[in-house]
Amino acid sequence: MQNAIELRHITKTFGRVVANRDVSLTVRRGEILSLLGENGSGKTTLMNMIAGIYYPDSGEILVDEKPAEIRSPKDAYALGIGMVHQHFKLIDVFTAVENIALVMDRHEKYDLKAIRQKAHAICERYAFDIDLDQKVYEMSVSQKQTLEIIKMLYRGAQILILDEPTAVLTPQETEKLFHVMRNMREDGKSIIIITHKLHEVLEISDRVAILRKGEYVGTVETAGASEASLTEMMVGKKVELNIERPEPVNPHLRLSVHNLSVTNAEGVRVLDDISFEAFSGEILGIAGISGNGQKELLEAIAGLQQTDSGSSIVYYPDDDRDSTAEQLIGKSPKDIRDMGVHLSFVPEDRLGMGLVGSMGMIDNMMLKSYGQGHSPIADRRAPRHLAEEIKESLGVVTPSVSTPVSRLSGGNVQKVLVGREIAASPSVLMTAYAVRGLDINTSYTIYHLLNEQKQKGVAILYVGEDLDVLIDLCDRVLVLCGGRNNGIVEGRKTSKEEVGLL
């Protein structure tokens, strides 16, 4: 089978950090190749070089068995290479067809009717489910992703790179995407998919290429691989892939939410009359497609979101239900902390509201503790010790604990944030997408840390998008859809299909 792309001895460094070292691999015509590796192993950097975003320090790239000079995304387009990034490049107020028009060649005539016809033909050919006249801001995440793929095909892409394409899709949407990918493969397209979900790798790909610490480990046929064998290649040692779920011990009511509603600045009700209870020593999962009110729910409890009248969030600081109950509505985050309510919050937007990108790990640890000192000079010893501890226990890949966190890979930023929040010894721990974009080894470390907190009597609210994990990790799962509570199911008794339908 002919090679669509061949990488020979590719090396890329950023200062002292080696992102890729001497990587050689091939992608065949008409195949789906999965690219696996731990966080910071250089997967996205490698693909960015094929897509023209970075240029290799050494080595060469061959496209259709001819040497290629890819110095910009424009060069990549000309060679029939298109990349769909984790963060979509779409204009919200434009329709689907207007967004497609933006990728037209400068010499093409701007004719919206002709563009629609060509885009419609692409949709028919590969079974895409999308309304070409719908505005982007009205679309679901999966529709936006579909639009990004159509844009690439419109430009004539024969090689498509998809970076974490299923990160925010439901099982049903993932199945639709896989159907489309198989259609594209039948049509002779080559698809490279970067993902951390091993069950999906085994289901969709023909071969799997594995990177470890920036170096190429090897490529295996998917038919002869298993989750355990792929993880061992990725990590370099055997890893137990079992999520423990200890039974809650002596659970007590910790949080009681009643008739919680939130209306956003545009006047849209993003949370509609939500009621539930959270108990000490249990993990309550919150399932739902991204953008269905999960973020607003956690922010309302943390005092970061204005709630509608009639909403109630009551916190029970002691294990005695008749003890002093504290109403959290109307209190600022500082008030909530001063009351002794420890809400540790791992937000959706890691660098936007979780950490300060220009600061190193030590200073980001200090953001939680600087107000506790009695001296006008901040004590850096404890934050330094905590930073070193998190770096060690979660395997944060960073030149030093003083390196600005914005220079770390997305997964390593997440490790810093999750580690800091868990270290605050909260009584209620709320995590939004704690393992999004994390490799399997680190994900299991975090599941283990959450279970440790659970056994210490912490009430945990776990917002996640991987239904397999939600069902294996959580004691109960609350399903949000369109800002409403669609039901609470028992983690030990429910199925992925039941939660997906809810």
Side-chain angles (χ1 to χ4, degrees), residues 100-101 205 390 426 447 480:
I100 294 165
S205 57
I390 290 169
Y447 304 145
L480 281 181

Side-chain angles (χ1 to χ4, degrees), residues 203-443:
E203 183 186 338
I204 190 66
S205 57
D206 301 298
R207 294 187 307 146
V208 187
I210 291 160
L211 296 181
R212 189 192 313 145
K213 293 181 178 164
E215 296 185 11
Y216 173 67
V217 177
T219 301
V220 293
E221 298 286 332
T222 311
S226 66
E227 286 196 20
S229 71
L230 291 175
T231 306
E232 195 173 331
M233 281 182 79
M234 222 162 68
V235 179
K237 61 178 188 284
K238 270 194 163 37
V239 176
E240 285 299 318
L241 297 178
N242 295 320
I243 299 179
E244 296 167 23
R245 178 167 38 201
E247 285 283 347
V249 178
N250 197 14
H252 293 280
L253 183 66
R254 191 64 82 221
L255 209 58
S256 175
V257 176
H258 278 288
N259 310 117
L260 178 62
S261 296
V262 171
T263 304
N264 68 12
E266 284 81 46
V268 177
R269 189 169 261 209
V270 285
L271 279 183
D272 191 2
D273 202 27
I274 300 284
S275 297
F276 67 90
E277 292 180 331
F279 295 85
S280 63
E282 78 154 6
I283 300 179
L284 173 67
I286 298 172
I289 306 161
S290 188
N292 273 258
Q294 301 93 315
K295 178 171 173 280
E296 289 81 5
L297 175 62
L298 298 197
E299 287 183 0
I301 297 169
L304 296 165
Q305 186 77 250
Q306 196 79 34
T307 55
D308 296 353
S309 65
S311 301
S312 168
I313 303 169
V314 178
Y315 169 73
Y316 295 87
D318 301 313
D319 291 343
D320 176 7
R321 188 165 188 153
D322 299 323
S323 69
T324 318
E326 300 280 8
Q327 176 60 254
L328 303 188
I329 298 287
K331 294 191 168 59
S332 71
K334 186 174 186 307
D335 293 336
I336 291 172
R337 268 204 313 273
D338 292 346
M339 280 163 46
V341 180
H342 298 282
L343 294 176
S344 278
F345 186 37
V346 182
E348 232 175 338
D349 183 359
R350 300 184 278 226
L351 281 174
M353 66 182 284
L355 299 167
V356 177
S358 57
M359 289 181 175
M361 280 180 71
I362 299 170
D363 290 339
N364 271 292
M365 298 303 130
M366 224 156 75
L367 290 176
K368 292 285 272 195
S369 61
Y370 72 90
Q372 293 163 8
H374 303 291
S375 154
I377 297 166
D379 179 8
R380 295 171 68 86
R381 284 170 302 184
R384 175 179 286 279
H385 177 68
L386 178 58
E388 296 285 3
E389 214 173 274
I390 290 169
K391 181 178 181 238
E392 191 62 35
S393 64
L394 292 181
V396 178
V397 180
T398 176
S400 91
V401 287
S402 302
T403 302
V405 294
S406 59
R407 291 194 199 160
L408 310 186
S409 74
N412 284 301
V413 170
Q414 186 78 329
K415 292 179 194 179
V416 174
L417 183 53
V418 174
R420 184 190 73 186
E421 296 304 316
I422 289 175
S425 302
S427 58
V428 176
L429 173 65
M430 302 194 293
T431 71
Y433 310 109
V435 296
R436 177 187 276 172
L438 292 187
D439 59 72
I440 193 148
N441 197 27
T442 312
S443 298

Side-chain angles (χ1 to χ4, degrees), residues 171-172 199 466-468 471 494-501:
Q172 288 86 346
H199 58 281
D466 188 327
L467 293 188
D468 293 294
I471 288 164
T494 190
S495 69
K496 194 163 87 166
E497 288 66 32
E498 183 189 7
V499 177
L501 288 170

Side-chain angles (χ1 to χ4, degrees), residues 86-230:
Q86 270 176 290
H87 302 290
F88 306 136
K89 311 277 186 272
L90 298 168
I91 294 178
D92 275 359
V93 294
F94 282 11
T95 62
V97 79
E98 286 165 347
N99 270 282
I100 294 165
L102 294 175
V103 300
M104 281 169 50
D105 198 87
R106 271 187 14 212
H107 308 298
E108 276 184 79
K109 186 179 167 218
Y110 180 79
D111 178 352
L112 219 50
K113 195 175 172 189
I115 295 165
R116 184 185 282 99
Q117 280 176 341
K118 186 176 168 185
H120 182 69
I122 291 169
C123 294
E124 291 280 300
R125 186 169 184 175
Y126 300 111
F128 285 117
D129 180 17
I130 192 168
D131 174 2
L132 291 170
D133 296 313
Q134 190 177 10
K135 290 202 185 291
V136 168
Y137 67 79
E138 298 170 334
M139 292 182 179
S140 67
V141 178
S142 72
Q143 288 170 319
K144 289 177 188 176
Q145 188 177 62
T146 300
L147 176 55
E148 285 283 21
I149 296 171
I150 295 168
K151 273 168 56 183
M152 296 304 154
L153 294 173
Y154 188 93
R155 278 296 291 252
Q158 294 298 316
I159 300 157
L160 282 107
I161 303 164
L162 309 179
D163 192 357
E164 297 278 356
T166 63
V168 289
L169 302 185
T170 64
Q172 288 86 346
E173 289 171 332
T174 299
E175 206 38 66
K176 264 191 203 168
L177 175 68
F178 285 178
H179 177 64
V180 166
M181 285 168 66
R182 290 185 187 106
N183 288 344
M184 293 196 294
R185 176 177 61 191
E186 295 304 308
D187 200 33
K189 308 275 188 233
S190 304
I191 301 167
I192 307 168
I193 172 173
I194 302 174
T195 182
H196 289 302
K197 298 182 181 178
L198 295 184
H199 58 281
E200 292 179 357
V201 169
L202 296 171
E203 183 186 338
I204 190 66
S205 57
D206 301 298
R207 294 187 307 146
V208 187
I210 291 160
L211 296 181
R212 189 192 313 145
K213 293 181 178 164
E215 296 185 11
Y216 173 67
V217 177
T219 301
V220 293
E221 298 286 332
T222 311
S226 66
E227 286 196 20
S229 71
L230 291 175

